[in-house]
Amino acid sequence: MANAYQLMTTEQLDAEIARLELLTDEIRSRGLALDMARGKPSPEQTALSRPMFDLLTSKTPLVDGNAIVDNYGTPDGLPSARALAAEILGVDPANVIVNGSSSLNLMYDLVSNAFVRGIAGEEPWCRQGTVKFLCPSPGYDRHFAVSASFGIENVPVPMGPDGPDMDVVRELVEGDAQVKGIWCVPKYANPTGITYSDEVVRAFASLRPAARDFRIFWDNAYVVHAFGDEDDQLLNIFDAMAEAGTQDLVYEFGSTAKVTFPSSGIAFVTASPSDMVHVRAAFAVERVSCEKFSQLAHVLFLKDLEGVRQHMRRHADIVRPRFELVERKLTEGIGHLGIASWTHPHGGYFVSFEGPEGSAKAIVSMMRDLGVVLTGAGATWPYGKDPRDTNIRIAPTYPSLDDLGSALDVFVVVVQLVAARLERTSR
Ligand SMILES: Cc1ncc(COP(=O)(O)O)c(C=O)c1O
């Protein structure tokens, strides 16, 4: 269907471009300095977890079941922290390691381990020649950076409203032994905000990879991050694997980075019992044991899954109005023009915006020129190369509502100007 600019005569289009240029000149004169670049909780959100600091005092017993908190030991993490992480992910605590403060760090460790030591008795990836990772795109730039940093070839895979295109995934995973991994954010994906359908999860769980050392990197970063009344339901991939009769296929990750404090939360990983034997062995080389004070504080503060859910409802009350504002400003500003589309997530940290072909770089660059920083165009694709140059990640959580509103007002003007100019040059 033709968009509003395609329907204009050239004279009308030129007049519209002139009007939008005047608007951008006026915006430039305001000297804005706004940042919508990264998905971070706002200061109001991190303040919600400050009471956690009051729970660890010099009088707090530093034991957790049989585990000692203030000394080496318990390399898998405190039993209570493992129980909490297991409840969050819906898995058996026996298969959970809680370690460190960053799940991305655990992902890196496991890629590094596979690269240097190998998985399942296979040759280390570094001795196998070309090694590939599938990257559902648009996706999370830091995932793609981990595999790229080892010289692994990142292969984009199309992302749909229900998850990655599983026909493409199956063909590549089952047909090419060089494919060793795939990056997945199955719930409230970064950046599209979609949740994988049961059918997609079942298709993942029943993969029969050509490579024995293929693993799905299932990053469940936003598992408890609904911000409205509706919480998407994600099928548990380990249950789906039990049904499909597969095993040793998935490394699942999570953290409280966006529950308590980014960079000071607790991070966890789970996998099949036999994979966990190898994960433990790999971690044992790196660390005597893990940091446990933070684990204890988190358990005292969050207690259990119900405690986490209650806490996340407080986050939701802060986050929801920001996402509603994005929806309203985009709809009012450009919804009638037919030049762009965007996602309408029920949770997570992002809205994924699709502009006209060839527009994303120009939009991001003009926004920067007008004083609003967005995530770099292309960042959501491997090697920063968005083939159609359409995708922009909107991260609405960090700015105040006022700043977000101002940034979006600029955004809708810029999108219109770039789209109108693209139409003009195509004539
Ligand atoms: C999908 C996803 N995974 C992981 C992370 C980082 O988590 P952590 O702080 O636990 O490393 C982020 C942060 O934005 C993310 O969006």
Side-chain angles (χ1 to χ4, degrees):
M1 213 177 71
N3 71 43
Y5 300 132
Q6 290 164 337
L7 294 174
M8 285 181 183
T9 63
T10 301
E11 292 67 38
Q12 288 170 326
L13 189 57
D14 285 341
E16 182 59 7
I17 290 172
R19 182 186 76 83
L20 292 163
E21 283 173 347
L22 273 182
L23 275 178
T24 51
D25 287 345
E26 189 275 316
I27 293 167
R28 191 175 294 103
S29 70
R30 289 189 225 153
L32 296 174
L34 303 170
D35 192 342
M36 274 207 299
R38 293 228 68 99
K40 298 195 283 195
S42 61
E44 289 157 89
Q45 286 177 265
T46 51
L48 294 173
S49 301
R50 276 176 170 256
M52 191 168 81
F53 295 136
D54 303 331
L55 299 175
L56 269 196
T57 72
S58 58
K59 311 267 181 325
T60 306
L62 296 178
V63 288
D64 186 77
N66 292 331
I68 307 290
V69 179
D70 60 342
N71 214 322
Y72 286 132
T74 339
D76 286 0
L78 293 180
S80 63
R82 294 172 69 199
L84 174 63
E87 224 191 329
I88 292 173
L89 297 181
V91 296
D92 182 349
N95 301 329
V96 173
I97 291 179
V98 182
N99 202 323
S101 63
S102 158
S103 56
L104 189 72
N105 216 168
L106 298 177
M107 296 171 223
Y108 183 94
D109 283 350
L110 291 183
V111 172
S112 169
N113 179 60
F115 200 79
V116 177
R117 297 193 194 91
I119 291 183
E122 297 290 303
E123 279 284 294
W125 291 351
C126 68
R127 294 214 206 104
Q128 293 195 39
T130 302
V131 168
K132 300 175 192 162
F133 256 57
L134 306 185
C135 301
S137 301
Y140 179 37
D141 53 350
R142 292 186 194 273
H143 281 163
F144 304 163
V146 169
S147 35
S149 76
F150 287 89
I152 293 170
E153 186 183 325
N154 280 339
V155 179
V157 167
M159 213 24 203
D162 294 330
D165 183 329
M166 291 310 292
D167 290 336
V168 175
V169 170
R170 193 178 304 103
E171 194 180 322
L172 290 168
V173 171
E174 300 190 350
D176 182 354
Q178 291 181 334
V179 174
K180 303 295 187 191
I182 179 166
W183 293 113
C184 292
V185 185
K187 188 165 177 186
Y188 303 137
N190 179 349
T192 61
I194 63 106
T195 297
Y196 294 7
S197 67
D198 292 359
E199 201 185 341
V200 165
V201 176
R202 288 203 177 96
F204 268 112
S206 48
L207 284 174
R208 302 287 197 268
R212 276 188 66 233
D213 49 354
F214 167 89
R215 293 294 178 273
I216 300 166
F217 284 66
W218 197 251
D219 177 5
N220 216 341
Y222 299 111
V223 56
V224 288
H225 298 65
F227 49 64
D229 296 332
E230 210 174 326
D231 185 9
D232 296 353
Q233 297 305 308
L234 174 71
L235 191 67
N236 185 313
I237 191 155
F238 288 100
D239 293 348
M241 281 160 56
E243 257 174 45
T246 50
Q247 50 200 342
D248 302 345
L249 191 58
V250 171
Y251 292 150
E252 182 174 10
F253 304 88
S255 83
T256 66
K258 283 160 191 150
V259 176
T260 55
F261 300 106
S263 81
S264 302
I266 57 172
F268 26 94
V269 56
T270 188
S272 67
S274 49
D275 271 349
M276 287 311 287
V277 170
H278 296 286
V279 172
R280 274 189 195 100
F283 285 1
V285 180
E286 286 187 57
R287 324 167 160 99
V288 182
S289 81
C290 49
E291 196 282 306
K292 290 175 278 186
F293 290 118
S294 178
Q295 294 186 14
L296 183 62
H298 274 79
V299 173
L300 291 173
F301 181 56
L302 297 168
K303 297 188 176 66
D304 53 17
L305 182 58
E306 187 41 40
V308 172
R309 290 204 191 287
Q310 274 176 25
H311 187 65
M312 293 313 288
R313 281 197 276 277
R314 293 183 202 111
H315 278 281
D317 289 341
I318 300 170
V319 169
R320 187 174 49 253
R322 288 166 163 82
F323 278 83
E324 285 170 352
L325 188 63
V326 173
E327 182 61 34
R328 184 163 64 75
K329 291 277 184 189
L330 293 182
T331 305
E332 287 173 6
I334 50 176
H336 55 296
L337 297 173
I339 52 175
S341 63
W342 56 91
T343 54
H344 316 279
H346 301 138
Y349 266 66
F350 305 99
V351 171
S352 182
F353 180 89
E354 291 286 325
E357 189 148 354
S359 68
K361 281 204 181 78
I363 292 171
V364 171
S365 141
M366 196 183 298
M367 289 290 286
R368 182 178 291 272
D369 181 42
L370 299 179
V372 186
V373 181
L374 295 174
T375 310
T380 52
W381 284 75
Y383 311 111
K385 286 189 197 139
D386 174 354
R388 296 176 58 242
D389 187 27
T390 55
N391 186 253
I392 294 175
R393 187 178 80 164
I394 299 181
T397 53
Y398 188 75
S400 68
L401 266 178
D402 279 354
D403 283 355
L404 179 65
S406 308
L408 290 163
D409 287 340
V410 180
F411 185 71
V412 295
V413 171
V414 168
V415 171
Q416 290 175 78
L417 180 53
V418 169
R421 281 181 175 163
L422 278 172
E423 172 56 24
R424 185 69 179 84
T425 42
S426 76
R427 289 190 180 182

